[in-house]
Amino acid sequence: MTKYKNEIILVLIPFVYGLLANLTDSTLLTPVLTQIIFLLFWYLVGVKFAKLNKDKITSFLYGNSIWGLSFLVFIWQFILLDDNSRNFFLAGVSQYYMFPFIWIGRELTVMFIDVYHGTTIMLLAYLSMLVIFLLGFSYGWMKEKLYS
């Protein structure tokens, strides 16, 4: 576990940013600037996880483990449960991880529908996180294959 301490820290950064933004009741940075920084950051995290000395599927799953847990809690709380059944603590915590990607989720939502629907925005934010990580991971994997 300590062998991959730096990778664990990298994977936790979006959650920590979302938590801090929630605790301070602000976005810390402008939404567009946050998005640019986290798009680049998450892409590079994907590249880094592609270079781990593990098989690629394990590296990919390891890099998206917290994303996956957070996404499952989000689906459970916001899609499978109704408003009255929702656990407000779990629902809130599930939003922290994708918070740095909320701007792109909102922009993608506007491309497809005229109404801002919070669950759709958050779902697209989660999916954009996965796509950005996958792009970085694919690049890192291909680069490693070319140079080995």
Side-chain angles (χ1 to χ4, degrees):
M1 192 67 127
T2 58
K3 181 178 180 183
Y4 296 107
K5 183 173 61 172
N6 291 338
E7 287 78 11
I8 293 168
I9 291 170
L10 289 175
V11 168
L12 286 172
I13 287 176
F15 180 82
V16 170
Y17 180 84
L19 177 64
L20 289 174
N22 185 56
L23 291 175
T24 61
D25 202 25
S26 72
T27 58
L28 303 177
L29 301 169
T30 66
V32 175
L33 184 57
T34 299
Q35 190 61 75
I36 292 168
I37 290 168
F38 273 93
L39 282 172
L40 180 61
F41 169 75
W42 205 237
Y43 179 87
L44 294 173
V45 170
V47 171
K48 181 159 182 67
F49 273 83
K51 295 177 181 179
L52 291 181
N53 291 330
K54 295 176 172 251
D55 68 275
K56 296 307 171 203
I57 293 173
T58 303
S59 294
F60 183 81
L61 292 174
Y62 181 56
N64 285 292
S65 57
I66 296 175
W67 177 93
L69 289 171
S70 185
F71 184 68
L72 287 174
V73 171
F74 169 78
I75 294 294
W76 172 39
Q77 292 295 307
F78 287 93
I79 295 177
L80 299 178
L81 295 177
D82 61 15
D83 291 343
N84 296 327
S85 303
R86 194 171 292 151
N87 179 309
F88 289 108
F89 175 76
L90 290 176
V93 169
S94 74
Q95 296 176 56
Y96 296 160
Y97 201 71
M98 62 77 205
F99 185 78
F101 289 81
I102 202 76
W103 183 85
I104 198 168
R106 186 180 63 88
E107 294 302 311
L108 289 171
T109 300
V110 172
M111 289 174 56
F112 299 113
I113 56 177
D114 294 338
V115 178
Y116 290 111
H117 189 266
T119 303
T120 305
I121 292 169
M122 291 183 281
L123 184 62
L124 289 172
Y126 266 114
L127 294 177
S128 66
M129 258 184 109
L130 182 63
V131 168
I132 296 302
F133 185 93
L134 182 60
L135 289 172
F137 190 87
S138 298
Y139 174 79
W141 186 8
M142 294 301 216
K143 187 175 176 184
E144 185 180 13
K145 285 177 83 172
L146 283 174
Y147 292 112
S148 61

